[in-house]
Amino acid sequence: MNSYSSDVEAVDALHLSYNKIREEIAQVIVGQDEVVKSVLISIFSNGHCLLVGVPGLAKTLLVQTVAEVLDLSYNRIQFTPDLMPSDILGSEILGEDRTFKFIRGPIFSNIILADEINRTPPKTQAALLEAMQEKVVTIGGYTHKLPQPFFVLATQNPIEQEGTYPLPEAQLDRFMFNVFLNYPSFEEELQVVRNTTANRKVELKKILNASEISFFQQLVRNIPIADNVLEYAVSIAAKTRPGTTTATDEVNKFLSWGAGPRASQFLVLGAKCHAAISGKYSPDQEDVRAVAESILRHRIVRNYKAEAEGVSTEMIISNLL
């Protein structure tokens, strides 16, 4: 696969592939440019993504389309209150020859859509999140490797909170991005309705395969980063921690908890990937700022004062940048 003579040539190829992928996805998904960008950055950075949005904003369609364009296997798991860990991971059954056989669950796929992850109890959430982190499943003392690349896109519905099990902060931290989906603009909605209420069939081209994606994931890590940009990324995460020497006055006033070191790692990886897909060979501070909101949003916790004064997480993040 690695037929590139240098990393510079490989970055050019990633930039080109990214633009082709965007064009293919745009045939099916109208608008949502920032969401598509975040999903692709998290795939190329070998991270996972949490999408938060009301029903009917094409979250499932987006994931299916991405899987198709990237020529990856895809499974959708609908999370419900009675879902058990074995329903996701798989289980051992006793075969006719009196030996146990492992029947693989739906998690054995390149792209997993974990639909409404907050509808299932913590035990099942933990099983998925452990697989996300370790990239393996252990059943009956045997370890089974998950296919590579492996990417989880989980969705949450922000409206109905009755009967839900919100993800704890430590588990939210496993997701690289927390992306909000907004309603489409009037023009975009017209286009969506026009496309979906007629007999329109789209043939999508496959742009990359699994081994090419794995190569680009390694490439993103190889991209050099200047010390001042690295320090800028780490300083943003450090500023969010109330009660520390680096915290700003606003952070001390409005936050009860800040982002951990994983935020710094993702800010750097995200900035490297953002630079590469934009056709640059090394990230600058602008690339860090471009990914900061989606990386920090679920890692900082506002206190009661922030809620009382209507200070949003996004306002606090933009002031830190």
Side-chain angles (χ1 to χ4, degrees):
M1 156 58 210
N2 183 4
S3 55
Y4 305 111
S5 58
S6 66
D7 278 0
V8 166
E9 200 179 300
V11 169
D12 288 341
L14 173 55
H15 174 51
L16 198 66
S17 302
Y18 169 76
N19 286 333
K20 283 185 187 162
I21 293 165
R22 287 282 295 257
E23 281 168 26
E24 285 300 307
I25 292 172
Q27 292 187 63
V28 178
I29 304 291
V30 178
Q32 304 290 16
D33 291 340
E34 286 306 308
V35 177
V36 171
K37 190 187 214 175
S38 297
V39 168
L40 293 174
I41 289 177
S42 42
I43 291 177
F44 288 126
S45 304
N46 204 3
H48 305 283
C49 201
L50 180 66
L51 285 184
V52 180
V54 297
L57 294 184
K59 297 189 285 284
T60 311
L61 182 63
L62 170 64
V63 186
Q64 280 173 330
T65 309
V66 168
E68 200 174 326
V69 172
L70 297 180
D71 198 13
L72 297 174
S73 57
Y74 158 78
N75 268 326
R76 174 174 180 259
I77 306 170
Q78 179 65 52
F79 280 72
T80 55
D82 59 351
L83 197 73
M84 299 297 289
S86 58
D87 295 332
I88 299 175
L89 307 178
S91 54
E92 289 193 315
I93 60 162
L94 195 58
E96 290 168 5
D97 56 356
R98 316 298 290 163
T99 59
F100 281 103
K101 287 188 179 65
F102 177 60
I103 305 297
R104 295 181 161 211
I107 198 158
F108 285 88
S109 210
N110 295 119
I111 293 189
I112 302 294
L113 174 62
D115 225 345
E116 298 201 271
I117 191 173
N118 54 338
R119 291 231 161 270
T120 208
K123 191 176 178 182
T124 308
Q125 288 176 354
L128 171 77
L129 290 152
E130 190 179 355
M132 280 165 51
Q133 189 67 18
E134 311 302 335
K135 310 275 170 94
V136 294
V137 168
T138 306
I139 302 275
Y142 289 98
T143 300
H144 307 271
K145 278 196 168 149
L146 291 170
Q148 294 300 325
F150 176 70
F151 173 66
V152 172
L153 212 147
T155 70
Q156 258 182 286
N157 173 354
I159 320 169
E160 305 167 70
Q161 291 307 327
E162 295 90 42
T164 62
Y165 305 85
L167 284 170
E169 267 66 29
Q171 296 192 340
L172 278 173
D173 198 39
R174 304 270 171 95
F175 289 97
M176 178 175 184
F177 283 138
N178 178 352
V179 182
F180 275 31
L181 275 89
N182 293 316
Y183 290 110
S185 68
F186 186 72
E187 284 71 25
E188 286 170 350
E189 193 163 346
L190 275 177
Q191 185 68 42
V192 168
V193 175
R194 195 175 286 129
N195 290 352
T196 52
T197 54
N199 278 323
R200 178 175 176 268
K201 286 203 167 36
V202 178
E203 286 292 317
L204 291 171
K205 289 207 254 332
K206 299 191 184 309
I207 307 293
L208 292 177
N209 60 31
S211 64
E212 289 169 323
I213 293 164
S214 296
F215 169 74
F216 283 136
Q217 287 176 340
Q218 291 302 317
L219 174 72
V220 165
R221 288 181 170 269
N222 284 343
I223 290 173
I225 183 168
D227 282 349
N228 67 316
V229 182
L230 188 72
E231 283 164 19
Y232 178 68
V234 175
S235 75
I236 290 174
K239 278 185 205 164
T240 66
R241 299 164 192 161
T244 62
T245 49
T246 48
T248 64
D249 291 343
E250 187 181 42
V251 162
N252 283 329
K253 187 177 175 188
F254 292 128
L255 293 187
S256 54
W257 204 251
R262 205 177 264 159
S264 304
Q265 293 166 339
F266 281 141
L267 282 168
V268 170
L269 266 180
K272 284 182 173 191
C273 189
H274 190 273
I277 62 172
S278 311
K280 295 190 286 194
Y281 304 118
S282 180
D284 52 30
Q285 293 187 358
E286 195 50 53
D287 294 301
V288 178
R289 284 194 285 273
V291 295
E293 189 177 290
S294 301
I295 288 173
L296 294 174
R297 180 187 275 134
H298 53 304
R299 290 187 164 85
I300 62 179
V301 181
R302 292 179 305 156
N303 59 22
Y304 67 93
K305 191 177 268 180
E307 296 194 17
E309 293 186 25
V311 177
S312 70
T313 309
E314 288 75 15
M315 282 152 76
I316 294 169
I317 294 169
S318 75
N319 290 342
L320 290 173
L321 305 179

